[in-house]
Amino acid sequence: MLFIFSAGGLKDVRHYLDNEQNETYLQALVYGELSYVLRNNAGELEKQEYVTEIQDRLGELWAGLLISRDGEITSVAPFLQQASPHEDWKQLLEEPPKAAAFNSFRYETSEMNLTYPDGGEGKAVLLRRIDTVPIYWRPVGTLFSLAFICLTSLLLTYFVSRSIIRPIKKLEAAALQIKDGDLTHKVVATTRGEIGQLSIAFEDMRVRLKHSIDQSLQYEENRKMLLSHISHDLKTPISAIKGYVEGIMDGIANTDEKRIRYMETIYRKASDMDQLIDELFLFSKLDLQTVAFDFKVIDMSRYMEHFLDEQRFDLEKSGVRLIYENSGMHPTMIAADPDKLSRVLTNILNNCIKYMGQQLEESRKEIHVRLKELDEHILVEIEDSGPGIEKEDLPYIFDRFYRAEQSRNSETGGSGLGLAIVKQIIEGHGGMVWAENAEKSGARFCMKLPKSMLVKAVDDHEEHTNH
Ligand code: ADP
């Protein structure tokens, strides 16, 4: 590759190879002729033109002749003169060494005694260059090769380390951190290819592991909270019941009227406890997802009308005006569990009545229920005219046991599970529930329930045929 690069292309390489082949052919020709002349026709060496010609031809083959007659030098090849201008050729001719070195090139020698046609004695020494490159090129070449190998290995090490070893070290460090329980450090894939994919898979694993650990910590926290809330919420009515029972036993309730009042309070407290335990039971079943949903395709408009008709009597008894608005024209079908949905609506309506009852005089107690049809969903809005919800409480009211401070101290405060149950049921339907404050005053609860896939398919078909 280097040769091609320095020689300047493939054409030159071919040229160089052709020359190489020609050279052996030329050598055979020249040396054959020379050997014949030296042995059988030494007279030719006395002709100046022939000597010049053969020296030139030898010169092309990196060789030259030294010729003598009767101890006197008659010809020195110009090629040799050039290679070593100050050489004592006579001395060399008399005692030719096996090998000589001129100008950083080594030469091999071969000598031959000859007899000229007139009987004169002569000698010819052929010096042929055996190196193609100067002697010092060997160590320089070796040094170059070594430097090249070192550089290549350094570069290779650098690239391998950058693309393989370093990311693997990072992964190792991350694995050790995970082993020590620290899951907060992100593993970033710095390379593509297999190592990059490994890093991505590793990061995926870390995220999932972290998620599942966080989740189990959250479960643990929830369990603790649940226990403490249950014990607190059960303790209060039980202490009260105990107090009233003691009052009866000790004769503090000494009149029939007092005894009846005590008994009524005990009954109310026991009913509260019963309700709390019911809610707890339902909530924990929903939370553990052990409660089955009995989905049916229902017409939401008709369902709401029916449900609100049932509620109207109770609402009016509490002095609440109910206003129902349905913006949908045709039946709005959804897949829902009617019993669970009725639980949701009851919880929300009861809350509305409960919190409106706190502050309002009867004439202003209103609940607006709206049913709206969206593209993929049905939206149910229930809005009261009560005090509304504090802004800072809004994100938490659907949390289990969350009770805004105002209700905690008052008589109205419930278990704090009502809206948590609502959320569980709506999410079980694949929907969403949220709360906001109405423009005027009061709280608004919104539920978005997905339309039944079956119904959507029928709708789409109808639309299609209409077109
Ligand atoms: P609770 O048993 O305390 O009513 P919920 O889960 O039903 O528990 O409600 C959580 C909190 O949300 C309540 O404590 C109350 O502060 C607030 N809230 C719920 N509904 C209303 C409403 N209609 N108006 C004002 N605040 C409400």
Side-chain angles (χ1 to χ4, degrees):
M1 290 292 285
L2 274 174
F3 182 82
I4 294 172
F5 190 65
S6 62
L10 268 176
K11 221 170 156 189
D12 296 84
V13 177
R14 231 172 275 140
H15 181 67
Y16 174 82
L17 292 175
D18 286 349
N19 274 359
E20 284 260 283
Q21 275 174 3
N22 281 347
E23 203 169 276
T24 32
Y25 175 65
L26 274 178
Q27 268 180 6
L29 269 186
V30 175
Y31 291 132
E33 182 186 325
L34 188 64
S35 144
Y36 174 79
V37 169
L38 290 176
R39 271 181 230 284
N40 310 317
N41 198 4
E44 287 290 303
L45 297 179
E46 285 179 312
K47 292 180 193 158
Q48 193 55 42
E49 305 92 73
Y50 180 74
V51 172
T52 316
E53 191 220 318
I54 195 93
Q55 291 284 34
D56 283 349
R57 281 161 68 197
L58 281 169
E60 279 172 23
L61 299 171
W62 312 106
L65 269 179
L66 291 177
I67 309 170
S68 73
R69 184 192 161 97
D70 302 328
E72 287 303 318
I73 290 193
T74 55
S75 172
V76 177
F79 166 68
L80 295 174
Q81 291 273 30
Q82 228 175 12
S84 180
H86 307 295
E87 191 66 40
D88 182 357
W89 298 114
K90 201 166 173 201
Q91 163 84 30
L92 198 144
L93 194 81
E94 273 162 17
E95 287 164 31
K98 272 226 159 79
F102 313 128
N103 199 16
S104 311
F105 285 97
R106 285 178 305 150
Y107 289 76
E108 72 178 8
T109 58
S110 36
E111 59 178 310
M112 193 168 196
N113 292 322
L114 38 104
T115 319
Y116 289 97
D118 57 3
E121 287 292 314
K123 196 172 182 182
V125 175
L126 177 75
L127 285 125
R128 199 172 67 85
R129 203 175 88 179
I130 49 178
D131 289 324
T132 43
V133 288
I135 301 168
Y136 58 81
W137 264 56
R138 280 172 203 277
V140 170
T142 317
L143 268 178
F144 258 114
S145 314
L146 275 176
F148 181 74
I149 291 169
C150 285
L151 198 74
T152 325
S153 65
L154 273 177
L155 279 175
L156 262 178
T157 316
Y158 172 72
F159 284 119
V160 168
S161 129
R162 218 179 65 162
S163 60
I164 300 176
I165 298 173
R166 234 187 287 169
I168 285 185
K169 284 249 176 253
K170 262 196 201 166
L171 277 182
E172 190 195 356
L176 286 176
Q177 272 170 346
I178 289 177
K179 192 192 92 188
D180 295 339
D182 179 4
L183 287 160
T184 50
H185 290 88
K186 211 174 161 191
V187 182
V188 188
T190 45
T191 52
R192 278 192 230 145
E194 281 77 8
I195 305 271
Q197 278 170 7
L198 183 65
S199 305
I200 293 170
F202 200 87
E203 172 62 11
D204 224 29
M205 182 197 79
R206 182 194 70 85
V207 170
R208 275 165 193 245
L209 203 60
K210 186 164 187 301
H211 181 248
S212 80
I213 289 176
D214 286 352
Q215 213 171 27
S216 53
L217 284 176
Q218 182 66 43
Y219 283 152
E220 184 58 24
E221 185 61 20
N222 287 351
R223 198 183 58 81
K224 282 184 196 156
M225 258 181 59
L226 200 72
L227 265 178
S228 98
H229 280 290
I230 296 168
S231 31
H232 175 263
D233 286 4
L234 290 180
K235 175 92 187 141
T236 325
I238 282 181
S239 304
I241 290 173
K242 223 172 112 192
Y244 285 110
V245 172
E246 275 167 8
I248 295 171
M249 286 191 318
D250 297 347
I252 299 171
N254 47 10
T255 62
D256 277 351
E257 193 194 333
K258 266 192 187 169
R259 265 196 296 276
I260 289 170
R261 229 180 47 230
Y262 273 36
M263 294 297 244
E264 276 172 357
T265 318
I266 290 170
Y267 180 77
R268 219 177 47 243
K269 297 275 172 198
S271 299
D272 283 354
M273 265 168 59
D274 192 35
Q275 197 196 341
L276 171 68
I277 287 166
D278 267 357
E279 282 192 338
L280 250 174
F281 196 50
L282 175 63
F283 175 77
S284 85
K285 275 202 298 190
L286 286 167
D287 201 28
L288 292 170
Q289 294 176 346
T290 51
V291 70
F293 283 80
D294 184 13
F295 284 110
K296 291 188 176 94
V297 175
I298 55 167
D299 174 2
M300 195 61 180
S301 305
R302 279 190 53 202
Y303 175 84
M304 284 301 282
E305 272 160 29
H306 192 248
F307 174 81
L308 292 175
D309 278 347
E310 275 180 0
Q311 299 290 317
R312 196 160 261 130
F313 178 71
D314 284 343
L315 288 168
E316 272 164 17
K317 218 169 69 186
S318 323
V320 178
R321 206 156 74 90
L322 179 72
I323 300 126
Y324 174 54
E325 299 160 31
N326 181 356
S327 64
M329 299 299 288
H330 58 88
T332 37
M333 310 301 280
I334 62 163
D337 178 336
D339 289 344
K340 304 264 180 335
L341 212 55
S342 122
R343 178 77 192 222
V344 165
L345 298 169
T346 317
N347 279 11
I348 294 180
L349 285 179
N350 284 348
N351 271 355
C352 291
I353 299 167
K354 195 159 69 177
Y355 294 103
M356 277 196 299
Q358 279 182 308
Q359 297 179 2
L360 291 180
E361 69 268 18
E362 295 230 332
S363 61
R364 285 181 51 216
K365 286 186 187 176
E366 276 179 4
I367 295 179
H368 286 260
V369 178
R370 296 186 198 96
L371 192 67
K372 294 178 184 169
E373 193 177 347
L374 309 176
D375 278 349
E376 308 268 319
H377 296 89
I378 305 269
L379 181 68
V380 184
E381 284 182 3
I382 301 175
E383 186 180 314
D384 66 19
S385 53
I389 303 160
E390 292 289 331
K391 231 182 171 152
E392 52 268 26
D393 293 328
L394 269 179
Y396 308 109
I397 56 168
F398 290 95
D399 291 354
R400 59 198 77 182
F401 297 114
Y402 188 85
R403 277 169 274 183
E405 202 51 49
Q406 47 159 340
S407 52
R408 187 148 298 177
N409 304 327
S410 73
E411 271 289 293
T412 53
S415 64
L417 281 172
L419 290 182
I421 289 173
V422 166
K423 189 173 178 216
Q424 292 271 17
I425 294 178
I426 294 295
E427 284 180 356
H429 279 75
M432 266 172 75
V433 58
W434 69 96
E436 52 198 31
N437 280 316
E439 289 75 28
K440 290 174 266 170
S441 75
R444 183 189 296 143
F445 292 87
C446 308
M447 283 168 283
K448 222 161 102 174
L449 290 162
K451 281 185 191 170
S452 153
M453 296 307 268
L454 188 86
V455 180
K456 255 186 75 199
V458 173
D459 270 4
D460 287 351
H461 180 71
E462 269 172 19
E463 218 166 273
H464 193 69
T465 44
N466 285 347
H467 277 302

